[in-house]
């Protein structure tokens, strides 16, 4: 690594350690109690018998966290990646998650924001606004959250309205022409009504330079940012016993996203070069030059809006009724150059025919109370989700020529016509192609209970149950906007099998000419948990737990078939179930200056839902068995150096497939291997330091980072999709008065400019060519914060 990169890291570390001699004799402060709501009641983190990583609002600000992807730097065992757009986001905990490119699959890791579940991981990807804290619950959750999940929950709690006036403003400027501004105001409206409003605007140039060949696109950069958001809240206290909190938000993104860069050019690269007005793609591969190729536009236009009302009513001093009613609407219109080259082969135009839309309504009701030694809670949950998706994928002007050269080893640009007997230009009509629409609905209800019996002052037993009932329906409309001439001819003519396969990709199959299918599936499940904890002393609590949960089955929202010309109308897949065992301890040591928690876990998933992109379509397979075993450890340390706090965590996880016989679309490497995005080791850490300067000023510096050992990014575990071990650092140094009236900060994300892959994929239609969606490069800037009280 260049010496100046280490110097940049050293500058932040020097700020953190600059007061060491000055504060050496100070014994430091103790770790304050961390309050969480992981079990739907306020508890000290050290009393909760599950693994919960808690990140405070100050830590989130210090690490530059704006969305769930940024959260990785503060949470070991958490992985968040995106591919062709923000909507295609995948979240994993301990190596277990759901690939986000197929909206027919629910998320193994749920995201809940202010008590409201988000329909998919991609739907939860956005500016989170002003944050109180984020709780990351690891392992299956179902008896406390309205929507059950099989791998974990990210529970986001934003700042609520306050009855003391406060206004905040923030201005940021950085490299890549990054500009951002946000403002918030909170305070009383009447004696019983308070409000809070937050608004933000963020823009940035793209991380990629784009070469367009002959066009028609003229986009010269990609992976930019253009987002604005507004969030409003009202809190009404009509009586001492009743609190109502109304929330509304709106977000809009209009961005050029997301292209990839070549990591391995395959044998088709020379054909791409021959068809493009420029070199078509990067040869030799040099992905971290961040030069992408696309002759068609790649854009995403996302709009999200929602409202919710939470009522908390103390019926008695021991019983509280909580109701959360929510409606949300999310839509994403996309356009993509899906061959990711400047040759005009395959694309999705920006004409409004490629989109995904979610409209959801949910109602959660909980009644919680205390009766003698029993803390009890019962609840009910209802959800109604409407998902509409559409994809139009026409052929480019070079599609037919590309396959002609491919099938003739580059010698005959009309080889397709020779095979089909159809005149050149009529096999794959440019501007025409597959046009599929899915009307997907899901309704579900559940009843659940979670209770803690305080057997003695030291011994507690927690037990919970959940019964869920879900019904899903899908109405699929498949069409080809022009006759699939080439495949129709290939099916009946005596041509080689390899040629028939190439000419009969699912998007070119006449079996899907104006075909409608309807499917329905209903399932009900019972899950639960038992936890036993014992506090040996005020400083040490131990626990063991068992939990079972599931993620609903569903439908693959893509074309499925038995063979060319033979549609498979059944795209359903089974529910994913999990059983989990944990044993751990939570401790406060060194005079309460060190909080140290650890847990061993053993999770077994059955019918694990694996979503794989084959290069031409998505295939969902139910893997009989996946296991995840390992250890989580986290700590908070108030050092003897006044103002210096260290936090960190480590996850060791062996997350692997069981032995099974791979079926269609499932790679032969999977049985007995570790899952994609399942590093053996992951760690995160942060250091925050505050010290007074001369006059009324203070210094605040922070350094955070994460490490992951090597892992594979591909669902088929191709060794060419491997990500080597990596370490990411973020740093921030600020100066301002003790009153916090203002603070001027300089910061860097990915401080050492680490090169790494988010996802490595098989490039569509280009066998042997691999490409990567890259992680963000180093970004640096300055932020001015102001506060009025």
């Amino acid at each position: 690594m260049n010496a100046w990169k280490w110097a940049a890291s050293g500058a932040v570390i020097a700020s953190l350690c600059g007061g060491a001699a000055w504060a050496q004799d100070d014994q430091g402060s103790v770790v304050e109690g961390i309050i969480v709501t992981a079990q739907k009641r306020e508890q000290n983190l050290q009393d909760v018998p599950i693994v919960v990583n808690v990140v405070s609002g100050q830590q989130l600000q210090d690490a530059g966290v704006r969305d769930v992807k940024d959260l990785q730097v503060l949470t070991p065992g958490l992985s968040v990646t995106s591919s062709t757009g923000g909507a295609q986001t995948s979240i994993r905990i301990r190596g277990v998650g759901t690939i986000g490119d197929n909206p027919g699959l629910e998320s193994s890791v749920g995201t809940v924001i202010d008590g409201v579940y988000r329909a998919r991981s991609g739907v939860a990807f956005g500016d989170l606004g002003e944050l109180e804290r984020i709780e990351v619950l690891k392992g299956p959750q179902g008896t406390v959250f309205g929507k059950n999940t099989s791998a974990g929950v990210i529970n986001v709690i934003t700042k609520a309205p306050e009855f003391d006036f406060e206004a905040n403003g923030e201005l940021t400027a950085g490299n890549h022409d990054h500009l951002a501004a946000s403002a918030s105001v909170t305070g009383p409206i009447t004696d019983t009504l308070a409000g809070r409003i937050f608004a933000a605007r963020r823009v940035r140039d793209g991380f990629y330079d784009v070469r367009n060949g002959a066009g028609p696109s003229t986009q010269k950069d990609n992976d930019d940012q253009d987002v604005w958001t507004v969030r409003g809240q009202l809190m009404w206290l009509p009586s001492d016993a009743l609190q109502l909190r109304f929330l509304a938000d709106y977000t809009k993104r209009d961005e050029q996203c997301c292209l990839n860069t070549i990591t391995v050019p395959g044998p088709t690269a020379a054909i791409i070069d021959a068809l493009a007005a420029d070199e078509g793609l990067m040869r030799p591969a040099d992905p971290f030059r961040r030069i992408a190729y696309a002759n068609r536009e790649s854009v995403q236009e996302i709009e999200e809006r929602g409202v919710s009302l939470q009522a908390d009513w103390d019926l008695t001093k021991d019983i509280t009724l909580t109701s959360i009613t929510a409606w949300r609407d999310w839509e994403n219109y996309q356009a993509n150059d899906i061959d990711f080259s400047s040759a005009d082969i395959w694309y999705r135009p920006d004409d409004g025919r490629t989109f995904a839309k979610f409209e959801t309504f949910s109602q959660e009701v909980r009644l919680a109370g205390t009766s003698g030694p029993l803390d009890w809670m019962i609840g009910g949950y209802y959800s109604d989700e409407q998902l509409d998706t559409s994809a139009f994928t026409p052929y480019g002007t070079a599609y037919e020529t590309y396959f002609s050269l491919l099938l003739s080893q580059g010698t005959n640009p009309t080889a397709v016509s020779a095979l089909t007997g159809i005149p050149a230009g009529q096999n794959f009509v440019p501007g025409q192609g597959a046009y599929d629409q899915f009307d997907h609905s899901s309704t579900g209800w559940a009843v659940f209970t979670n209770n803690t019996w305080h057997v003695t002052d030291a011994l507690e037993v927690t037990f919970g149950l959940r019964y869920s009932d879900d019904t899903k329906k899908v109405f699929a409309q498949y069409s080809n906007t022009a006759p699939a001439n080439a495949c129709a001819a290939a099916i009946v003519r005596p041509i080689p099998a390899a040629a028939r396969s190439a000419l009969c990709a699912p998007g070119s199959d006449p079996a899907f000419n104006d075909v409608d299918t309807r499917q329905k599936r209903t399932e009900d499940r019972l899950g639960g948990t038992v936890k036993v904890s014992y506090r040996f002393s005020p400083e040490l609590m131990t626990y063991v737990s068992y939990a079972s949960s599931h993620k609903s089955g569903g439908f693959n929202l893509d074309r499925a078939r038995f063979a060319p010309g033979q549609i498979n109308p059944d795209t359903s897949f089974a529910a994913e179930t999990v059983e989990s065992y944990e044993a751990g301890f939570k401790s406060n040591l060194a005079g309460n200056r060190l909080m140290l928690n650890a847990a061993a876990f053993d999770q077994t998933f059955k019918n694990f839902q694996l979503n794989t992109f084959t290069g031409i379509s998505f295939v969902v397979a139910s893997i009989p068995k996946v296991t995840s075993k390992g250890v989580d450890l986290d700590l908070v340390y108030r050092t003897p150096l006044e103002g210096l706090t260290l936090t960190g965590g480590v996850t060791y996880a062996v997350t692997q497939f069981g032995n099974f016989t791979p079926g269609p679309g499932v790679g032969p490497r999977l049985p007995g291997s570790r899952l994609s995005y399942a590093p053996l080791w992951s760690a995160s850490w942060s250091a925050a330091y505050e010290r007074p300067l001369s006059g009324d000023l203070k210094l605040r510096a922070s350094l955070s980072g994460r490490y992951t050992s090597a892992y594979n990014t591909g669902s088929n575990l191709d060794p060419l999709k491997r990500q080597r071990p990596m370490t990411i650092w973020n740093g921030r140094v600020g100066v301002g008065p003790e009153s916090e009236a203002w603070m001027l900060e300089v910061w860097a994300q990915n401080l050492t400019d680490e090169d790494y892959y988010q996802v490595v994929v098989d490039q569509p239609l280009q066998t042997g060519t691999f490409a990567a969606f890259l992680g963000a490069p180093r970004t640096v800037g300055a932020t001015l914060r102001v506060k009025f009280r």
Side-chain angles (χ1 to χ4, degrees):
M1 180 178 294
N2 293 336
W4 73 269
K5 294 181 181 178
W6 286 109
S9 301
V12 178
I13 295 171
S15 298
L16 291 173
C17 301
W22 168 72
Q24 187 67 44
D25 295 333
D26 193 286
Q27 294 303 305
S29 59
V30 298
V31 177
E32 298 176 355
I34 299 174
I35 303 301
V36 298
T37 54
Q39 298 194 116
K40 294 302 183 182
R41 60 173 63 95
E42 289 191 351
Q43 293 176 281
N44 189 305
L45 174 65
Q46 299 303 87
D47 295 329
V48 180
I50 58 177
V51 177
V52 186
N53 291 109
V54 183
V55 188
S56 70
Q58 184 63 62
Q59 287 177 286
L60 295 164
Q61 179 177 295
D62 289 344
V65 174
R66 296 291 185 190
D67 54 44
V68 292
K69 184 179 289 186
D70 296 332
L71 186 62
Q72 298 174 94
V73 79
L74 296 173
T75 309
L78 175 68
S79 169
V80 186
T81 58
S82 300
S83 56
T84 54
Q88 288 73 41
T89 295
S90 305
I91 303 177
R92 299 171 177 85
I93 290 178
R94 297 170 174 168
V96 178
T98 303
I99 296 176
D101 300 78
N102 190 334
L105 286 81
E106 296 182 358
S107 304
S108 297
V109 178
T111 303
V112 177
I113 302 177
D114 290 325
V116 179
Y117 176 78
R118 296 303 197 256
R120 300 291 186 274
S121 297
V123 174
F125 181 70
D127 195 308
L128 297 173
E130 297 179 293
L131 296 170
E132 185 69 32
R133 68 181 183 277
I134 296 179
E135 303 168 358
V136 180
L137 288 67
K138 298 181 177 179
Q141 309 294 326
T143 63
V144 289
F145 286 89
K147 183 72 175 179
N148 57 293
T149 60
S150 59
V153 168
I154 298 175
N155 187 29
V156 179
I157 298 95
T158 67
K159 288 186 175 181
E162 300 177 8
F163 281 89
D164 294 321
F165 174 81
E166 182 177 292
N168 292 271
E170 180 181 308
L171 293 173
T172 294
N175 61 337
H176 299 282
D177 287 335
H178 174 49
L179 295 173
S182 66
S184 69
V185 177
T186 187
I189 300 172
T190 70
D191 290 342
T192 60
L193 183 66
R196 178 183 290 272
I197 188 166
F198 167 84
R201 180 87 165 95
R202 309 187 196 283
V203 296
R204 173 183 45 76
D205 285 350
F207 292 144
Y208 296 84
D209 293 325
V210 183
R211 296 179 180 175
N212 307 121
S217 174
T218 59
Q219 290 180 352
K220 294 303 180 184
D221 73 353
N222 193 264
D223 199 13
D224 64 359
Q225 183 181 66
D226 188 349
V227 57
W228 67 274
T229 184
V230 60
R231 297 173 179 269
Q233 299 185 48
L234 292 173
M235 180 183 290
W236 183 33
L237 307 177
S239 70
D240 292 340
L242 179 61
Q243 173 181 293
L244 300 174
R245 186 180 176 192
F246 174 78
L247 302 92
D249 64 271
Y250 176 82
T251 299
K252 182 176 177 60
R253 305 174 72 99
D254 189 356
E255 298 165 333
Q256 299 177 27
C257 182
C258 294
L259 296 176
N260 61 34
T261 60
I262 295 295
T263 59
V264 178
T268 61
I271 300 175
I272 297 290
D273 191 352
L275 294 174
D278 52 20
E279 57 274 26
L281 48 76
M282 180 65 70
R283 287 193 302 166
D286 190 0
F288 294 104
R289 285 181 64 188
R290 297 182 185 270
I291 297 176
Y293 290 76
N295 71 299
R296 298 281 182 171
E297 289 189 331
S298 289
V299 299
Q300 63 176 13
E301 298 174 5
I302 298 174
E303 280 193 81
E304 179 182 12
R305 55 184 66 82
V307 294
S308 66
L309 176 64
Q310 177 170 338
D312 295 288
W313 185 14
D314 295 330
L315 301 177
T316 71
K317 66 182 181 66
D318 295 321
I319 301 176
T320 300
L321 175 67
T322 297
S323 169
I324 302 176
T325 307
W327 171 87
R328 300 205 61 79
D329 183 78
W330 179 94
E331 59 184 33
N332 174 35
Y333 286 86
Q334 279 191 269
N336 304 92
D337 186 321
I338 55 176
D339 59 76
F340 298 97
S341 78
S342 55
D344 192 29
I345 300 175
W346 215 24
Y347 65 102
R348 285 178 174 161
D350 188 13
D351 64 356
R353 285 189 280 181
T354 298
F355 61 80
K357 300 179 181 180
F358 281 97
E359 183 177 8
T360 58
F361 171 83
S362 63
Q363 174 64 58
E364 182 176 351
V365 178
R366 300 191 304 270
L367 191 65
T370 299
S371 299
L374 183 67
D375 294 331
W376 54 269
M377 185 268 287
I378 58 175
Y381 181 76
Y382 172 80
S383 66
D384 186 343
E385 174 188 289
Q386 178 63 40
L387 164 62
D388 295 300
T389 72
S390 175
F392 176 46
T393 314
Y395 312 116
T397 56
Y399 189 98
E400 184 172 326
T401 306
Y402 171 75
F403 275 99
S404 289
L405 294 173
L406 181 66
L407 295 172
S408 64
Q409 290 74 51
T411 62
N412 184 359
T414 61
V416 169
S417 290
L419 290 167
T420 65
I422 298 171
Q426 297 180 28
N427 290 279
F428 302 102
V429 180
Q432 306 297 321
Y435 183 27
D436 300 336
Q437 302 171 78
F438 299 91
D439 177 342
H440 181 282
S441 63
S442 174
T443 57
W445 60 272
V447 290
F448 52 90
T449 181
N450 197 75
N451 313 278
T452 299
W453 177 27
H454 303 274
V455 183
T456 69
D457 289 342
L459 177 64
E460 294 181 357
V461 178
T462 298
F463 52 95
L465 285 173
R466 177 191 182 92
Y467 176 79
S468 301
D469 185 284
D470 294 288
T471 299
K472 294 184 178 181
K473 302 176 183 178
V474 63
F475 173 43
Q477 296 176 287
Y478 303 102
S479 65
N480 299 307
T481 59
N485 296 326
C487 182
I491 291 172
V492 299
R493 290 170 71 91
I495 66 174
R500 180 178 295 110
S501 177
L503 299 179
C504 284
S508 306
D509 196 324
F512 295 94
N513 287 345
D514 299 322
V515 173
D516 296 347
T517 66
R518 296 181 184 271
Q519 300 177 75
K520 177 181 178 180
R521 70 185 320 274
T522 300
E523 63 184 50
D524 60 317
R525 296 276 174 175
L526 183 67
T529 185
V530 177
K531 307 179 182 76
V532 179
S533 64
Y534 188 83
R535 185 165 288 282
F536 285 92
S537 70
E539 294 78 26
L540 177 64
M541 184 268 279
T542 62
Y543 67 93
V544 294
S545 71
Y546 164 82
S548 66
S549 188
H550 78 284
K551 180 179 71 166
S552 297
F555 304 101
N556 178 16
L557 303 186
D558 204 346
R559 295 187 172 192
R561 58 186 186 172
F562 298 108
Q566 300 177 39
I567 186 172
N568 180 1
D570 182 5
T571 66
S572 64
F573 51 85
E576 176 180 297
T577 63
V578 59
E579 289 190 308
S580 173
Y581 298 87
E582 287 188 5
F585 69 83
K586 299 194 173 185
S587 65
N588 294 80
L589 307 173
N592 209 32
R593 290 200 304 269
L594 173 64
M595 185 179 75
L596 178 66
N597 302 333
F601 58 88
D602 186 338
Q603 303 175 125
T604 299
F605 296 81
K606 294 184 178 179
N607 292 322
F608 178 78
Q609 297 167 4
L610 179 69
N611 183 42
T612 300
F613 182 64
T614 65
I616 53 176
S617 63
F618 286 101
V619 175
V620 179
S622 293
I623 306 301
K625 184 178 180 180
V626 165
T627 58
S628 181
K629 302 177 182 181
V631 176
D632 282 307
L633 181 146
D634 60 90
L635 63 85
V636 178
Y637 181 40
R638 300 283 193 187
T639 72
L641 305 180
E642 183 181 5
L644 178 60
T645 300
L646 306 178
T647 63
V650 177
T651 295
Y652 173 77
V654 181
T655 303
Q656 61 187 25
F657 296 103
N659 292 315
F660 66 99
T661 301
V666 178
R669 304 179 185 89
L670 271 60
S673 299
R674 293 209 321 269
L675 274 67
S676 59
Y677 297 95
L680 287 175
W681 292 96
S682 66
S684 67
W685 56 86
S686 67
Y689 179 57
E690 279 194 15
R691 61 165 294 181
L693 300 174
S694 59
D696 185 41
L697 297 179
K698 70 174 180 179
L699 168 75
R700 180 172 181 87
S702 66
L703 185 67
S704 57
R706 68 181 177 103
Y707 165 82
T708 60
S709 59
Y711 57 90
N712 198 296
T713 70
S715 56
N716 64 356
L717 300 183
D718 192 300
L720 294 175
K721 298 178 180 180
R722 180 179 180 271
Q723 167 60 48
R724 59 179 175 78
M726 66 175 182
T727 303
I728 305 294
W729 295 87
N730 295 345
R732 187 176 297 259
V733 178
V735 175
E738 291 285 350
S739 66
E740 298 183 344
W742 58 269
M743 176 74 75
L744 181 61
E745 303 169 343
V746 292
W747 51 264
Q749 305 287 95
N750 191 2
L751 182 65
T752 58
D753 203 18
E754 181 84 2
D755 291 334
Y756 66 99
Y757 303 132
Q758 287 195 81
V759 188
V760 181
V761 298
D762 298 274
Q763 202 73 309
L765 302 180
Q766 301 165 61
T767 302
T769 294
F770 297 86
F773 297 91
L774 305 178
R778 177 179 51 246
T779 55
V780 298
T783 297
L784 174 65
R785 306 180 196 276
V786 294
K787 180 178 293 188
F788 304 94
R789 291 174 172 167

